[in-house]
Amino acid sequence: MIVVERVSRTFPARSGSVAALHEIDLTVAEGEFVAVIGRSGCGKSTLLRLIAGLLEPTSGTITVTGRAVRAPSREVALMQQQPALLPWRTALGNVLLPVEMARQPRAEGAVRARELLDAVGLAGFHHRHPYELSGGMQQRVALCRALIQRPRVLLMDEPFSALDALTREDMAAQLQALHLARPATTVFVTHSIQEAVLLADRVAVLSPRPGRVREVLTIDIPRPRSLGRSAALPAVAECVAHLHDVLAESGDD
Ligand SMILES: Nc1ncnc2c1ncn2[C@@H]1O[C@H](COP(=O)(O)OP(=O)(O)OP(=O)(O)O)[C@@H](O)[C@H]1O
């Protein structure tokens, strides 16, 4: 579970300071999938970096699985927009990196790494290097690397935004399947309202300057959902239209 309470974060700027987030409250239940959307610069990445322990709040508190966040933890995995794989390692070697860094048994980790790679459609690619893989495949490897430690919390910062539309749909479907099989508490930042509605139990809309939680919408639509087929459902169309309206209204205060 993630509890963000009255969290603010300011950054020094040339003329004074920038209030990236102002008194944010957000609770993500155990196993819940929350998507965060908002205009560019509204503090989405800052929020993830705070939860990941990569930044400290200026004020307010964050707890993850009951403990105050002070530094990055093995229980929390962060996946970013760029896969950032090590070019000299194979797909399998990249997925195993966190296992090696934690000095855990490699053989056991390798079994799980292979299962994960197979689950995301990379069965024949375990021994390929990043330069032999497409952008979508590389991002799948990065997803497996994030999941290898069975994190209780998964933070994803626009993980599919560099991918083409079809690859993005595939990735969202695979993420949904992995989440249904083993739900990690997830915060997923995206610019795509459709992606948010497809994946999330709830969607938090941030408004910019300073970033605040404008609204949190519950997506009460049965799973599995699909970007193609579910888009025609009136309930999905309604959520998408509503979130569009909230975003359109959430300009600068
Ligand atoms: N390290 C930093 N130093 C100074 N200002 C920062 C820093 N990190 C973020 N900011 C500022 O904080 C605000 C929020 O930035 P953040 O990257 O969290 O927004 P975002 O919603 O993730 O944006 P985008 O959608 O464009 O990725 C912006 O005004 C940004 O310029």
Side-chain angles (χ1 to χ4, degrees):
M1 182 167 176
I2 304 168
V3 182
V4 177
E5 266 177 318
R6 293 179 74 82
V7 162
S8 301
R9 171 71 205 204
T10 54
F11 290 106
R14 223 175 275 172
S15 50
S17 61
V18 183
L21 292 174
H22 183 70
E23 300 201 340
I24 295 266
D25 285 312
L26 185 69
T27 300
V28 186
E30 195 74 42
E32 191 183 21
F33 195 119
V34 168
V36 176
I37 60 174
R39 289 160 180 264
S40 192
C42 70
K44 304 182 294 296
S45 299
T46 303
L47 178 62
L48 282 199
R49 295 178 66 209
L50 287 164
I51 298 171
L54 296 170
L55 272 181
E56 274 184 47
T58 309
S59 61
T61 57
I62 302 179
T63 58
V64 169
T65 63
R67 280 194 290 273
V69 173
R70 301 200 200 288
S73 141
R74 209 183 293 164
E75 288 194 326
V76 179
L78 175 65
M79 184 177 166
Q80 316 232 32
Q81 193 175 335
Q82 298 303 331
L85 302 178
L86 297 178
W88 59 89
R89 282 189 166 229
T90 62
L92 188 65
N94 270 286
V95 177
L96 277 170
L97 194 64
V99 173
E100 291 172 19
M101 287 174 69
R103 297 176 193 279
Q104 291 163 344
R106 200 175 188 280
E108 215 173 281
V111 172
R112 173 151 170 79
R114 289 197 184 94
E115 282 170 6
L116 281 168
L117 286 165
D118 292 353
V120 297
L122 291 178
F125 298 88
H126 295 189
H127 300 292
R128 302 285 179 89
H129 286 82
Y131 70 88
E132 299 173 285
L133 302 173
S134 69
M137 288 168 155
Q138 290 185 27
Q139 202 54 321
R140 275 167 226 212
V141 174
L143 176 60
C144 296
R145 183 184 54 192
L147 294 176
I148 186 84
Q149 296 278 61
R150 293 194 173 87
R152 288 180 66 183
V153 171
L154 181 59
L155 306 174
M156 306 181 86
D157 196 355
E158 299 183 42
F160 308 149
S161 60
L163 307 176
D164 66 86
L166 277 179
T167 308
R168 203 172 168 145
E169 275 185 37
D170 285 349
M171 292 284 298
Q174 279 166 0
L175 177 62
Q176 178 178 228
L178 287 165
H179 184 74
L180 288 176
R182 187 183 177 277
T185 306
T186 305
V187 183
F188 181 90
V189 167
T190 177
H191 274 118
S192 161
I193 295 176
Q194 279 80 6
E195 208 166 75
V197 171
L198 169 77
L199 290 168
D201 297 308
R202 290 185 300 143
V203 179
V205 185
L206 297 194
S207 59
R209 276 174 288 276
R212 297 170 198 257
V213 177
R214 186 82 175 204
E215 183 172 324
V216 181
L217 180 70
T218 300
I219 311 293
D220 202 2
I221 297 164
R223 289 190 168 94
R225 306 171 191 156
S226 109
L227 267 182
R229 271 171 286 120
S230 303
L233 296 174
V236 172
E238 223 167 86
C239 288
V240 169
H242 177 74
L243 290 168
H244 258 292
D245 290 347
V246 178
L247 271 181
E249 287 161 13
S250 71
D252 291 359
D253 287 334

